[in-house]
Amino acid sequence: MLAVASPLYLQASHYLVTPVLAWWHTPCAVAPVDLAETSFVSRVPLAELADPANRVMLRYAQGGLLSPAFRVHGMLVWGFTAGILDILLRLGGWERPWNRSAVVDYPLPREVPAASPPAKPATPATPSPPAPRQRSSSTP
């Protein structure tokens, strides 16, 4: 472990989170602990996080709040994770100038499905359970 920050209360999720900066000599397997909070985990090199082409500002639909985000490995890394990574890049001296006017709105617009043939009359069926929330996280 290199550093442990003070616990932070996240109002949106009601979690108390303790950020830990650590380094592994030999990488080990990593996986989400709570699939309702994190859909998957990916190792992303610091160079990719620092690449200006991978940085955007995320605008939240409620209140228009802007915060840093990253587009890496097919993920949109946002929220608390992106905030910690943004601070880490800045404090570590790895941040490169990036276009803070590149704004992505959240929630992201859903793709419009292709036109389909008219639906057949409904038949009784067992309803499907709701899909799990999808959120991305990364580990540098």
Side-chain angles (χ1 to χ4, degrees):
M1 280 192 313
L2 302 174
V4 178
S6 299
L8 302 166
Y9 175 72
L10 303 182
Q11 185 174 355
S13 64
H14 303 292
Y15 289 137
L16 186 63
V17 178
T18 301
V20 176
L21 179 60
W23 175 79
W24 287 290
H25 181 269
T26 305
C28 62
V30 294
V33 175
D34 179 354
L35 289 175
E37 178 64 23
T38 303
S39 57
F40 61 95
V41 178
S42 178
R43 293 183 190 281
V44 179
L46 283 173
E48 289 183 41
L49 294 169
D51 184 342
N54 295 334
R55 309 239 10 220
V56 296
M57 292 298 287
L58 190 71
R59 179 178 30 233
Y60 297 92
Q62 296 176 346
L65 176 69
L66 289 171
S67 66
F70 300 82
R71 289 187 169 202
V72 288
H73 293 202
M75 300 179 292
L76 176 65
V77 180
W78 59 282
F80 180 75
T81 302
I84 291 290
L85 293 172
D86 180 61
I87 291 168
L88 176 66
L89 291 174
R90 192 172 326 111
L91 294 177
W94 302 298
E95 183 178 42
R96 295 168 40 198
W98 58 285
N99 181 3
R100 292 177 184 271
S101 64
V103 176
V104 173
D105 288 318
Y106 185 86
L108 302 174
R110 295 183 183 263
E111 291 184 20
V112 177
S116 57
K120 294 181 181 176
T123 56
T126 305
S128 299
R133 297 183 305 172
Q134 296 293 311
R135 296 203 14 201
S136 299
S137 182
S138 68
T139 302

